[in-house]
Amino acid sequence: MKRIFSGIQPTGEVHIGNYIGAIKQWVELTAEYDCIYCVVDYHAITIEYEISELRHKTLDTAIILMACGLSPDNCKLFVQSHVPEHTELAWIFNCVTPIGELERMTQFKDKSRQHRANINMGLMDYPVLQAADILIYKAGFVPVGEDQVQHIELSREVARKFNSRFGDIFPEPQAILSLAPRILGIDGSGKMSKSMNNYIGLLENGDIIWEKLRTAVTDVNRVRRKDPGNPELCNIYTIHRAFSKDEELIEIDKGCRNASIGCIDCKKILYRNMMEELSPIRERAESLKKDTDYVRDVLKNGAASCREMAKKTMDEVRAGLGIYYPV
Ligand code: AQP
C-alpha cells in the first residue's frame, strides 16, 4: 500500500481552510493509502506562542482530527515531538539543504514579515523539519493545501541531494491537492489562517459561523444584487465546492452568473450544507473532550508504532552517512 504523511500545527483554532484544504481528504485517503498523520508541535514553536497553551492546543488539534474521522483503525496519529527521530533527521538534512533554497520559501518570507521581532533559525528551517517528517516514513504522497506545495518540492530536492551523496534511501514525495486547495480568509484578502483573525473555526457555533459567512467577501465586482457575479472569483463559491453537492453547485453557478440568486441566498445554502457536515464533527469532538484518556492512548500508541518505523530509517541513514556506531 502506498504511504501518505501529513501534519497540522497546533497553533490555534482549526479552521475550515485546514478542513477543506487538508483534513477532509486526509480522512478520504485512508481508504486507499497507508496513512500517517501528525500534530506538528515542534513546527508550532517557530513563532511566538503561549507556553501554557501549547499542550492543550496539541490535544485539542488531535481531538479535532479524530472528530473529523481519523482513528487508530484507519491511520497512525501522533504528536511530532514524541518521535525524536524527526528532529535528528532534520539535522542531517540541514547538511544537504542550501540556505538559498530556504531563504526563497514564500512561507518564510510571509512569516518573517508577520514576526519581525523573532525571525529565528527554526522559522527558516521549517521546511527541512517538514522534509524529515515526511521522509523518515518514506512517504510518497503528502496531502496538503496549496500553500505547502513549495515545501513539498523542497522535500523532493532534499531527498534527491541526500540520495545522490549517501545512497538511495528516500523516495521523492508528491503533493496531493484537494478540490479547494486555497481558501481565502473571510475578508477575501489573504489565505485563511489560524494566526490571522480571518477564519471560520471548525467548531465555532452556528450563530458565529453565520455572522462570519454573512459578512464574508464574495466576488468584489458584484456590487449590486442585480449585477451578475463570477463564481470563479468568489471565495464563498470555492467553499461551496467542499460542502455542496454537484447539482446544487451547477444551480448556484448559473444563478450567480445570471444574477437570479444573490450573495446572501448563496451564503444561506452554504450555511445549511456546512452545518449539516460540521454538526456531527462538533458532537464527536465534544464527546472526545470528555474522554481525553482515550485520545492520549491513541497518540501514545501512534507514536510508539511510528517510532519503530523511524528508528529503522535512521539506522539506514546513519549507515549511509558513515556514522561511527559502537557494535
Ligand atoms: N487557507 C487554506 N486553504 C487551504 N488549505 C489550507 N491549509 C492551511 N490553510 C489553508 C492546509 O492545512 C494544513 C495544515 O496547516 P498547518 O496548520 O500546518 O499550517 P498553515 O498552513 O500555516 O495553516 P494556518 O492555518 O495558516 O496556520 P498558521 O496561521 O499557524 O500559520 C496544511 O496542509 C495547509 O496547507
Side-chain angles (χ1 to χ4, degrees), residues 6-23 25-26 38 40 43-44 47 61 107 111 114-115 126 130 142-149 151-152 176-178 180-185 190-196 198-199 235:
S6 201
I8 181 164
Q9 300 186 79
T11 37
E13 213 173 329
V14 175
H15 53 72
I16 59 162
N18 298 132
Y19 178 67
I20 298 169
I23 302 169
Q25 62 162 351
W26 292 6
C38 187
V40 291
H43 276 111
I47 54 171
T61 305
Q107 180 178 293
K111 298 258 159 168
Q114 271 175 38
H115 305 279
Y126 186 112
Q130 190 171 358
V142 193
V144 283
E146 198 177 76
D147 59 313
Q148 293 299 318
V149 169
H151 286 176
I152 308 307
I176 301 181
L177 291 181
S178 75
R182 181 174 155 80
I183 303 299
L184 299 181
K191 175 184 98 112
M192 185 175 285
S193 215
K194 295 188 216 87
S195 53
M196 310 290 278
N198 69 355
Y199 63 82
N235 193 38

Coordinates of all heavy atoms in Angstrom, one line a residue, residues 6-23 25-26 38 40 43-44 47 61 107 111 114-115 126 130 142-149 151-152 176-178 180-185 190-196 198-199 235, ligand 1:
S6 N 1.1 13.5 6.5 CA 0.8 14.9 6.5 C 0.7 15.4 8.0 O 0.5 14.5 8.9 CB -0.4 15.3 5.7 OG -0.4 16.6 5.4
G7 N 0.8 16.7 8.2 CA 0.7 17.2 9.6 C 0.0 18.5 9.7 O -0.3 19.2 8.7
I8 N -0.3 18.9 10.9 CA -1.0 20.1 11.2 C -0.4 20.7 12.4 O -0.1 20.0 13.4 CB -2.5 20.0 11.3 CG1 -3.2 21.3 11.5 CG2 -2.9 18.9 12.4 CD1 -4.7 21.3 11.3
Q9 N -0.2 22.1 12.4 CA 0.3 22.7 13.6 C -0.7 23.0 14.7 O -1.8 23.5 14.3 CB 0.9 24.1 13.2 CG 2.0 24.0 12.2 CD 2.5 25.4 12.0 OE1 3.3 25.9 12.8 NE2 2.1 26.1 10.9
P10 N -0.4 22.9 15.9 CA -1.3 23.2 17.0 C -1.2 24.7 17.3 O -0.9 25.1 18.5 CB -0.9 22.3 18.2 CG 0.6 22.1 18.0 CD 0.9 22.2 16.5
T11 N -1.3 25.6 16.3 CA -1.1 27.0 16.5 C -2.3 27.8 16.9 O -2.3 29.0 17.1 CB -0.4 27.6 15.3 OG1 -1.0 27.0 14.1 CG2 1.1 27.5 15.3
G12 N -3.5 27.1 16.8 CA -4.7 27.9 17.1 C -5.9 27.0 16.8 O -5.8 25.8 16.6
E13 N -7.0 27.7 16.5 CA -8.3 27.0 16.2 C -8.2 26.5 14.8 O -7.9 27.2 13.9 CB -9.4 28.1 16.3 CG -10.7 27.5 16.8 CD -11.7 28.5 17.1 OE1 -11.4 29.7 17.4 OE2 -12.9 28.2 16.9
V14 N -8.5 25.2 14.7 CA -8.5 24.6 13.3 C -9.7 25.2 12.6 O -10.8 25.3 13.1 CB -8.7 23.0 13.4 CG1 -8.8 22.4 12.0 CG2 -7.5 22.4 14.1
H15 N -9.4 25.6 11.3 CA -10.5 26.4 10.6 C -10.9 25.6 9.3 O -10.3 24.6 9.0 CB -10.0 27.8 10.2 CG -8.6 27.8 9.5 ND1 -8.5 27.4 8.2 CD2 -7.4 28.1 10.0 CE1 -7.2 27.5 7.9 NE2 -6.5 28.0 8.9
I16 N -11.9 26.1 8.7 CA -12.4 25.4 7.5 C -11.4 25.4 6.3 O -11.5 24.5 5.5 CB -13.8 25.9 7.0 CG1 -13.7 27.4 6.6 CG2 -14.9 25.7 8.1 CD1 -14.9 27.8 5.8
G17 N -10.5 26.3 6.3 CA -9.4 26.2 5.3 C -8.6 24.9 5.5 O -8.3 24.2 4.6
N18 N -8.2 24.7 6.8 CA -7.5 23.4 7.1 C -8.3 22.2 6.8 O -7.8 21.2 6.2 CB -7.2 23.4 8.6 CG -6.3 24.5 9.2 OD1 -6.6 25.1 10.2 ND2 -5.2 24.8 8.5
Y19 N -9.6 22.3 7.1 CA -10.5 21.2 6.9 C -10.7 20.9 5.4 O -10.4 19.7 4.9 CB -11.9 21.5 7.5 CG -12.9 20.4 7.3 CD1 -12.8 19.2 7.9 CD2 -14.0 20.6 6.5 CE1 -13.7 18.2 7.7 CE2 -15.0 19.7 6.3 CZ -14.8 18.4 6.9 OH -15.8 17.4 6.7
I20 N -11.0 21.9 4.6 CA -11.2 21.7 3.2 C -9.9 21.4 2.4 O -9.9 20.6 1.5 CB -11.9 23.0 2.6 CG1 -13.2 23.3 3.2 CG2 -12.0 22.8 1.1 CD1 -13.8 24.6 2.8
G21 N -8.9 22.2 2.8 CA -7.6 22.0 2.1 C -6.9 20.8 2.4 O -6.1 20.2 1.6
A22 N -7.1 20.3 3.6 CA -6.3 19.1 4.0 C -7.1 18.0 4.7 O -7.2 16.9 4.2 CB -5.1 19.6 5.0
I23 N -7.6 18.3 5.9 CA -8.1 17.2 6.8 C -9.2 16.3 6.1 O -9.2 15.1 6.3 CB -8.7 17.8 8.1 CG1 -7.6 18.6 8.8 CG2 -9.2 16.7 9.0 CD1 -8.1 19.5 10.0
Q25 N -9.6 15.5 3.0 CA -9.0 14.5 2.1 C -8.1 13.5 2.9 O -7.9 12.4 2.5 CB -8.4 15.1 0.9 CG -7.2 16.0 1.1 CD -6.4 16.1 -0.2 OE1 -6.6 15.5 -1.2 NE2 -5.4 17.0 -0.1
W26 N -7.5 14.0 4.0 CA -6.8 13.0 4.9 C -7.7 11.8 5.2 O -7.2 10.7 5.1 CB -6.3 13.6 6.2 CG -5.3 14.7 6.1 CD1 -4.8 15.3 4.9 CD2 -4.6 15.3 7.2 NE1 -3.8 16.2 5.3 CE2 -3.7 16.3 6.6 CE3 -4.7 15.2 8.6 CZ2 -2.9 17.1 7.4 CZ3 -3.9 16.0 9.4 CH2 -3.0 16.9 8.8
C38 N 0.0 13.7 11.8 CA 0.8 14.1 12.9 C 0.4 15.6 13.3 O 0.1 16.4 12.5 CB 2.3 14.1 12.4 SG 3.5 14.5 13.6
V40 N 2.1 18.7 14.5 CA 3.5 19.1 14.5 C 3.8 20.2 15.4 O 3.9 21.4 15.1 CB 3.9 19.4 13.0 CG1 3.9 18.1 12.2 CG2 3.0 20.4 12.3
H43 N 7.0 22.3 15.0 CA 6.8 23.4 14.0 C 6.2 24.6 14.6 O 6.5 25.8 14.3 CB 6.0 23.0 12.8 CG 6.8 22.2 11.7 ND1 6.7 20.9 11.5 CD2 7.7 22.7 10.9 CE1 7.5 20.5 10.6 NE2 8.2 21.6 10.2
A44 N 5.3 24.4 15.6 CA 4.5 25.5 16.1 C 5.3 26.4 17.0 O 4.9 27.6 17.2 CB 3.3 24.9 17.0
I47 N 7.2 30.2 15.9 CA 6.6 31.6 16.1 C 6.3 31.8 17.6 O 6.3 30.8 18.4 CB 5.4 31.8 15.3 CG1 4.3 30.8 15.5 CG2 5.7 31.9 13.8 CD1 3.0 31.1 14.9
T61 N -6.1 19.8 18.9 CA -5.9 19.6 17.5 C -6.1 18.1 17.2 O -6.8 17.7 16.2 CB -4.6 20.1 17.0 OG1 -4.4 21.5 17.4 CG2 -4.4 20.0 15.5
Q107 N 6.6 30.9 2.4 CA 6.1 31.0 3.8 C 7.1 31.6 4.7 O 6.7 32.4 5.6 CB 5.8 29.5 4.3 CG 5.3 29.5 5.7 CD 4.9 28.1 6.3 OE1 4.0 27.5 5.8 NE2 5.7 27.6 7.2
K111 N 6.1 34.8 6.9 CA 6.1 34.7 8.4 C 7.2 35.7 8.9 O 7.1 36.2 10.0 CB 6.4 33.3 8.8 CG 5.4 32.3 8.5 CD 4.5 31.9 9.6 CE 3.2 31.3 9.0 NZ 2.3 30.7 9.9
Q114 N 5.5 38.8 9.2 CA 4.5 38.8 10.3 C 5.2 38.8 11.7 O 4.6 39.3 12.7 CB 3.7 37.5 10.3 CG 2.4 37.6 9.4 CD 1.8 36.1 9.4 OE1 1.8 35.4 10.4 NE2 1.3 35.8 8.2
H115 N 6.3 38.3 11.8 CA 7.0 38.1 13.1 C 8.4 38.7 13.1 O 9.4 38.1 13.3 CB 7.1 36.6 13.5 CG 5.8 35.9 13.4 ND1 4.9 35.9 14.5 CD2 5.2 35.1 12.4 CE1 3.9 35.2 14.1 NE2 4.0 34.7 12.9
Y126 N 12.0 25.5 8.9 CA 10.7 24.8 8.9 C 10.5 23.7 7.9 O 10.2 22.6 8.1 CB 9.6 25.9 8.8 CG 8.2 25.5 9.0 CD1 7.4 25.9 10.0 CD2 7.5 24.7 8.0 CE1 6.1 25.6 10.2 CE2 6.2 24.4 8.1 CZ 5.5 24.8 9.2 OH 4.1 24.5 9.3
Q130 N 10.0 19.6 8.0 CA 8.9 19.0 7.3 C 9.3 17.9 6.4 O 8.7 16.8 6.3 CB 8.2 20.1 6.5 CG 6.8 19.7 5.9 CD 6.1 20.9 5.3 OE1 6.6 22.1 5.4 NE2 4.9 20.7 4.7
V142 N 1.8 13.4 -0.1 CA 1.6 14.4 1.0 C 0.4 15.2 0.7 O 0.4 16.2 -0.1 CB 2.8 15.3 1.3 CG1 2.7 16.0 2.6 CG2 4.1 14.5 1.2
P143 N -0.8 14.9 1.3 CA -2.0 15.7 1.0 C -1.9 17.1 1.8 O -1.9 17.1 3.0 CB -3.2 14.9 1.5 CG -2.6 13.9 2.5 CD -1.1 13.8 2.1
V144 N -1.9 18.2 1.1 CA -1.7 19.5 1.7 C -2.5 20.5 1.0 O -3.0 20.3 -0.2 CB -0.2 20.0 1.6 CG1 0.7 19.3 2.7 CG2 0.4 19.8 0.2
G145 N -2.6 21.7 1.6 CA -3.2 22.9 0.9 C -2.1 23.4 -0.1 O -0.9 23.1 0.0
E146 N -2.5 24.3 -1.0 CA -1.6 24.9 -2.0 C -0.4 25.6 -1.4 O 0.7 25.6 -1.9 CB -2.4 25.9 -2.8 CG -1.8 26.2 -4.1 CD -2.8 27.2 -4.9 OE1 -2.8 28.3 -4.6 OE2 -3.5 26.6 -5.8
D147 N -0.6 26.2 -0.2 CA 0.5 27.0 0.4 C 1.7 26.1 0.8 O 2.8 26.6 0.9 CB 0.0 27.7 1.7 CG -0.6 26.7 2.7 OD1 -1.4 25.8 2.3 OD2 -0.2 26.8 3.9
Q148 N 1.5 24.8 0.8 CA 2.5 23.9 1.2 C 3.2 23.2 0.1 O 4.2 22.5 0.3 CB 2.0 22.8 2.2 CG 1.6 23.4 3.6 CD 2.7 24.1 4.3 OE1 3.9 23.6 4.3 NE2 2.5 25.2 4.9
V149 N 2.8 23.5 -1.2 CA 3.3 22.8 -2.3 C 4.8 23.1 -2.5 O 5.6 22.2 -2.8 CB 2.5 23.1 -3.6 CG1 3.2 22.6 -4.8 CG2 1.1 22.5 -3.5
H151 N 6.9 23.7 -0.2 CA 7.7 22.9 0.7 C 7.9 21.5 0.3 O 8.9 20.8 0.6 CB 7.0 23.0 2.1 CG 7.2 24.3 2.8 ND1 6.6 24.6 4.0 CD2 7.9 25.4 2.4 CE1 6.9 25.8 4.4 NE2 7.7 26.4 3.4
I152 N 6.8 20.9 -0.3 CA 6.9 19.5 -0.7 C 7.9 19.4 -1.9 O 8.7 18.5 -1.9 CB 5.5 19.0 -1.2 CG1 4.5 19.2 -0.1 CG2 5.6 17.5 -1.5 CD1 4.8 18.8 1.3
I176 N -0.5 16.0 -2.8 CA -1.9 15.7 -3.3 C -2.7 16.9 -2.9 O -2.8 17.2 -1.7 CB -2.5 14.4 -2.7 CG1 -1.6 13.2 -3.0 CG2 -3.9 14.2 -3.2 CD1 -2.1 11.9 -2.4
L177 N -3.4 17.6 -3.9 CA -4.2 18.7 -3.6 C -5.7 18.4 -3.5 O -6.1 17.5 -4.3 CB -4.0 19.8 -4.6 CG -2.6 20.5 -4.6 CD1 -2.5 21.6 -5.7 CD2 -2.3 21.1 -3.2
S178 N -6.4 19.0 -2.7 CA -7.9 18.8 -2.6 C -8.5 19.6 -3.8 O -7.9 20.4 -4.5 CB -8.4 19.2 -1.3 OG -8.5 20.6 -1.2
A180 N -10.4 22.1 -3.3 CA -10.3 23.6 -3.0 C -9.0 23.8 -2.1 O -9.1 23.9 -0.9 CB -11.6 23.9 -2.2
P181 N -7.9 23.8 -2.8 CA -6.6 23.9 -2.0 C -6.2 25.2 -1.5 O -5.3 25.3 -0.7 CB -5.6 23.4 -3.1 CG -6.2 23.8 -4.4 CD -7.7 23.8 -4.2
R182 N -7.0 26.3 -1.8 CA -6.6 27.6 -1.3 C -7.9 28.3 -0.9 O -8.6 28.9 -1.8 CB -5.8 28.4 -2.3 CG -5.4 29.7 -1.8 CD -4.5 30.4 -2.8 NE -4.5 31.9 -2.7 CZ -3.8 32.5 -1.8 NH1 -3.1 31.9 -0.9 NH2 -3.9 33.9 -1.8
I183 N -8.2 28.4 0.4 CA -9.4 29.1 0.9 C -8.9 30.4 1.4 O -7.9 30.5 2.2 CB -10.1 28.3 2.0 CG1 -10.4 26.9 1.5 CG2 -11.3 29.0 2.5 CD1 -11.4 26.9 0.4
L184 N -9.5 31.5 0.9 CA -9.1 32.8 1.4 C -9.8 33.1 2.8 O -10.8 32.5 3.1 CB -9.5 33.9 0.4 CG -8.9 33.8 -1.0 CD1 -9.4 34.9 -1.9 CD2 -7.4 33.8 -0.9
G185 N -9.3 34.0 3.5 CA -9.9 34.5 4.7 C -11.3 35.1 4.4 O -11.6 35.5 3.3
G190 N -6.1 37.6 2.2 CA -5.0 36.6 2.2 C -5.6 35.2 2.5 O -6.8 35.1 2.6
K191 N -4.7 34.2 2.6 CA -5.1 32.9 2.9 C -5.8 32.8 4.3 O -5.4 33.5 5.2 CB -3.8 32.0 3.0 CG -3.9 30.6 3.4 CD -2.5 30.0 3.5 CE -2.0 30.0 4.9 NZ -1.9 28.7 5.5
M192 N -6.9 32.0 4.4 CA -7.5 31.8 5.7 C -6.4 31.1 6.6 O -5.8 30.2 6.2 CB -8.7 30.9 5.6 CG -9.4 30.8 6.9 SD -11.0 29.8 6.8 CE -12.1 31.0 6.0
S193 N -6.2 31.7 7.8 CA -5.1 31.3 8.6 C -5.4 31.3 10.1 O -6.1 32.2 10.5 CB -3.9 32.3 8.4 OG -2.7 31.7 8.4
K194 N -4.9 30.3 10.8 CA -5.2 30.3 12.3 C -4.6 31.5 13.0 O -5.2 32.0 13.9 CB -4.4 29.1 12.9 CG -4.9 27.7 12.5 CD -4.2 26.7 13.3 CE -3.9 25.4 12.6 NZ -2.6 25.5 11.9
S195 N -3.5 32.0 12.5 CA -2.9 33.1 13.2 C -3.4 34.5 12.8 O -3.0 35.5 13.3 CB -1.4 33.1 13.0 OG -1.1 33.0 11.7
M196 N -4.3 34.5 11.8 CA -4.9 35.8 11.4 C -6.4 35.8 11.8 O -7.0 34.7 11.9 CB -4.9 35.9 9.9 CG -3.6 35.7 9.2 SD -2.4 37.0 9.6 CE -2.9 38.2 8.4
N198 N -9.1 35.9 10.4 CA -9.9 35.9 9.2 C -10.5 34.6 8.9 O -10.8 34.2 7.8 CB -9.0 36.3 8.0 CG -7.9 35.3 7.7 OD1 -7.8 34.3 8.5 ND2 -7.1 35.4 6.7
Y199 N -10.7 33.8 10.0 CA -11.1 32.4 9.7 C -12.5 32.1 10.3 O -13.0 32.8 11.1 CB -10.0 31.4 10.3 CG -9.9 31.5 11.9 CD1 -10.8 30.8 12.7 CD2 -8.9 32.2 12.5 CE1 -10.7 30.9 14.1 CE2 -8.8 32.3 13.8 CZ -9.7 31.6 14.6 OH -9.6 31.7 16.0
N235 N -14.7 33.5 -3.2 CA -14.2 32.6 -2.1 C -15.4 31.7 -1.6 O -15.2 30.6 -1.2 CB -13.6 33.4 -1.0 CG -12.8 32.6 0.0 OD1 -12.1 31.6 -0.4 ND2 -12.8 32.9 1.2
Ligands
AQP1 N1 -6.5 28.7 3.8 C1 -6.2 27.4 3.5 N2 -6.7 26.8 2.4 C2 -6.4 25.5 2.1 N3 -5.6 24.8 2.9 C3 -5.0 25.3 4.0 N4 -4.2 24.8 4.9 C4 -4.0 25.8 5.8 N5 -4.6 27.0 5.5 C5 -5.3 26.7 4.3 C6 -3.7 23.5 5.0 O1 -4.0 22.9 6.2 C7 -2.9 22.0 6.6 C8 -2.5 22.3 8.0 O2 -1.9 23.6 8.1 P1 -0.9 24.0 9.2 O3 -1.5 24.0 10.5 O4 0.3 23.0 9.1 O5 -0.2 25.3 8.8 P2 -0.6 26.5 7.9 O6 -0.5 26.2 6.5 O7 0.4 27.6 8.3 O8 -2.0 26.8 8.4 P3 -2.5 28.1 9.1 O9 -3.9 27.9 9.5 O10 -2.3 29.3 8.1 O11 -1.7 28.3 10.4 P4 -0.8 29.4 10.9 O12 -1.7 30.6 11.0 O13 -0.4 28.9 12.3 O14 0.4 29.6 10.0 C9 -1.8 22.2 5.6 O15 -1.8 21.1 4.6 C10 -2.1 23.5 4.9 O16 -1.7 23.5 3.5

